[in-house]
Amino acid sequence: MAASMCDVFSFCVGVAGGARGAVEVRFVSSAKLIRKGETIFIERPLVASQFLWNALYRYRACDHCLRALEKAEENAQRLTGKPGQVLPYPELCTVRKDLHQHCPHCQVMYCSAECRLAAAEQYHRILCPGPSQDDPQHPLNKLQEAWRSVHYPPETASIMLMARMVATVKQAKDKDHWVRLFSQFCSKTANEEEEIVHKLLGDKFKGQLELLRRLFTEALYEETLSQWFTPDGFRSLFALVGTNGQGIGTSSLSQWVHACDALELKPQDREKLDTFIDQLYKDIEAATGEFLNCEGSGLFVLQSC
Ligand SMILES: [Zn+2]
Ligand SMILES: [Zn+2]
């Protein structure tokens, strides 16, 4: 598979880096000492999806692997609100716009032909809205709108991760294989599930869960998964994603900064570059606050609870 996928996912499974990184790790036990920043293992998620507000706010990411699509400089311009912001050492940006591709039917963007094909192969044929991508009456747009109206930033989950699970099974020749893979994730008691749903949807969670279930069924019903569409089954699916979904964060700017940190420079050039980067982060903080990365979540078999 494409090396680019590995880069992105090593980013989300590495040992947490400095304050500038966007890395999440759950449990790691190892017989040897692990250095800060070291990659322990690389795992591709079964499914992943960008958070919906994050996407709406123009954090442009590959629809399949969540790799950032903006060049580091464009990213800095948007996050600082300064269209004239220029970055030194532009050659350190790893974004390859010449490789980007879009779905010819709905125009959703991918970082590479590999990601476009992998998405089409696994789930996108079912989920592709075609020319209805901006139609508010399209069942998937209604579902996403309802989700955004109950789950605000800072986001921790997306209904589209569940949609991709269903679409994956719907599209698969060997449906049992995928159902078995998804059933490995840990399940909870009914009470624990309610708590998780409460946490994600707030106090009016029961009515909201029912509304989401209705829209989810309208958009995606699948006979072989009929249990996921019942009130109890939907709550369990919801809790599964809430419990097992791992955060994924990507940023072309952050990768550019890491590449800058690794440059061998004369002391005065190093100082100049570090001062520049510190000021850049101050400007971003002032303009955008804490939301720096393309963010989403995914289901990882090895990293599940
Ligand atoms: Zn990609
Ligand atoms: Zn499409």
Side-chain angles (χ1 to χ4, degrees):
M1 194 56 202
S4 57
M5 288 277 287
C6 298
D7 293 344
V8 173
F9 293 116
S10 69
F11 198 55
C12 67
V13 299
V15 171
R20 289 165 182 168
V23 186
E24 178 158 321
V25 157
R26 249 179 154 170
F27 319 100
V28 176
S29 71
S30 168
K32 77 176 183 84
L33 212 63
I34 298 168
R35 290 192 314 276
K36 182 172 146 184
E38 185 178 353
T39 299
I40 311 155
F41 61 92
I42 292 170
E43 183 184 10
R44 219 177 308 141
L46 295 181
V47 279
S49 188
Q50 188 178 5
F51 294 148
L52 294 180
W53 281 106
N54 189 260
L56 197 71
Y57 282 132
R58 296 185 299 121
Y59 289 75
R60 295 180 50 232
C62 172
D63 197 57
H64 185 63
C65 76
L66 272 61
R67 174 179 278 263
L69 296 177
E70 282 176 316
K71 299 283 277 180
E73 190 168 88
E74 289 176 288
N75 193 216
Q77 289 167 352
R78 181 171 57 80
L79 294 176
T80 55
K82 295 180 181 171
Q85 177 73 57
V86 173
L87 296 186
Y89 306 102
E91 68 282 4
L92 297 180
C93 173
T94 54
V95 173
R96 292 278 311 272
K97 290 210 164 189
D98 54 321
L99 299 181
H100 292 180
Q101 296 211 349
H102 56 81
C103 166
H105 310 295
C106 70
Q107 316 306 321
V108 74
M109 290 297 296
Y110 297 100
C111 70
S112 60
E114 287 88 344
C115 276
R116 180 176 61 77
L117 292 170
E121 191 85 338
Q122 189 184 329
Y123 55 80
H124 188 70
R125 285 205 294 275
I126 295 287
L127 296 179
C128 180
S132 309
Q133 129 204 66
D134 295 322
D135 176 2
Q137 291 312 311
H138 188 282
L140 282 171
N141 287 337
K142 280 160 76 176
L143 178 67
Q144 294 181 70
E145 182 57 38
W147 176 256
R148 278 194 296 266
S149 71
V150 295
H151 188 64
Y152 290 98
E155 298 166 279
T156 56
S158 164
I159 193 90
M160 291 313 284
L161 197 61
M162 294 160 66
R164 285 192 179 178
M165 292 169 75
V166 172
T168 295
V169 175
K170 261 172 120 80
Q171 237 183 264
K173 284 200 190 82
D174 185 357
K175 297 186 192 306
D176 288 345
H177 165 75
W178 283 98
V179 171
R180 267 198 309 278
L181 277 177
F182 289 136
S183 67
Q184 291 174 36
F185 291 100
C186 71
S187 52
K188 301 277 180 188
T189 63
N191 273 348
E192 289 169 328
E193 285 177 3
E194 287 224 332
E195 264 173 45
I196 294 164
V197 176
H198 186 178
K199 222 154 87 183
L200 281 171
L201 299 183
D203 284 340
K204 295 182 192 147
F205 70 94
K206 283 193 177 144
Q208 283 161 343
L209 189 66
E210 185 49 28
L211 170 70
L212 290 169
R213 186 181 74 85
R214 197 167 51 71
L215 294 171
F216 194 75
T217 306
E218 268 169 34
L220 293 156
Y221 186 75
E222 161 64 31
E223 191 61 44
T224 48
L225 291 172
S226 58
Q227 77 281 7
W228 284 4
F229 295 88
T230 64
D232 284 353
F234 187 67
R235 189 192 59 216
S236 297
L237 183 63
F238 214 89
L240 181 153
V241 166
T243 312
N244 296 279
Q246 304 274 334
I248 298 172
T250 64
S251 160
S252 52
L253 182 61
S254 171
Q255 287 195 311
W256 174 84
V257 169
H258 283 297
C260 285
D261 288 346
L263 279 179
E264 296 205 0
L265 297 173
K266 288 190 226 132
Q268 68 268 35
D269 291 339
R270 165 57 57 200
E271 201 186 323
K272 202 170 142 201
L273 182 57
D274 286 350
T275 307
F276 173 84
I277 290 171
D278 284 346
Q279 186 57 47
L280 183 66
Y281 274 99
K282 278 184 197 147
D283 292 347
I284 290 174
E285 171 86 43
T288 317
E290 60 186 297
F291 299 107
L292 303 186
N293 301 315
C294 300
E295 287 182 3
S297 64
L299 290 179
F300 295 83
V301 174
L302 295 176
Q303 291 187 82
S304 67
C305 70

